[in-house]
Amino acid sequence: SLEPYLNKGYVKTTLSSLKSETAYVLTVFDMSLSGEYSGRLFQAYFTTGRIPASSAEFNISIDESAYTLTVSPTSAETGTYAVEILSKADWQRYSSPKKCAESFLDYISSSGNNVSAYLHSGEFATRYYSPSSQGPSMTSGDYVAYAFATDGVRVQSGVSYTFFHFEEPQSNLP
């Protein structure tokens, strides 16, 4: 049946798997549930924009064997900053790294959490995965670690980021 693939009227769809700086063609046409095509066809051509490059304001390193993320500001003038890890799929849903950082700050603010618990200064290192934790903190997949200067309310710098792949260790249990 074609029914699950056909829409009537206005439809808004968000595509999250598009690649940056790539040309695409969106094709729309009339078709009945029985599969009859009316001959009307609409095509829209578009090119996705460039994702801004990682800012050089922070050095971000991943030690995959120790499951450690280390962030260092590149300037002694940098005040407080936030660090977060997000799945690459979630990262790609944002129109820019800055929008992602703003969303993170909005989430912390709206959840009632103390934003100062998420702020760091100087070099900061943390484990992003703990094999001894009761529940899985991360699952196998592609991730983005990012950092940005903030006062806890606004993004005050460019967003530095790095992509990495995480493979959840296999248990040694039989």
Side-chain angles (χ1 to χ4, degrees), residues 24-101:
Y24 289 92
V25 178
L26 172 67
T27 303
V28 180
F29 54 91
D30 288 343
M31 181 176 278
S32 69
L33 289 176
S34 62
E36 295 174 33
Y37 168 57
S38 71
R40 291 187 290 185
L41 176 74
F42 171 79
Q43 289 186 309
Y45 299 84
F46 65 96
T47 301
T48 52
R50 183 180 69 81
I51 295 174
S54 177
S55 158
E57 297 183 51
F58 297 90
N59 290 321
I60 302 173
S61 62
I62 304 289
D63 181 337
E64 293 179 12
S65 62
Y67 310 118
T68 303
L69 161 72
T70 303
V71 179
S72 303
T74 57
S75 168
E77 306 299 313
T78 302
T80 57
Y81 62 93
V83 177
E84 178 64 345
I85 294 177
L86 191 63
S87 73
K88 186 176 179 183
D90 287 341
W91 171 265
Q92 292 174 330
R93 289 188 177 104
Y94 293 97
S95 61
S96 71
K98 184 176 182 183
K99 291 288 185 194
C100 182

Side-chain angles (χ1 to χ4, degrees), residues 137-156:
S137 54
M138 290 177 71
T139 57
S140 297
D142 295 319
Y143 289 88
V144 179
Y146 65 99
F148 58 95
T150 180
D151 58 1
V153 178
R154 290 176 285 116
V155 175
Q156 297 179 318

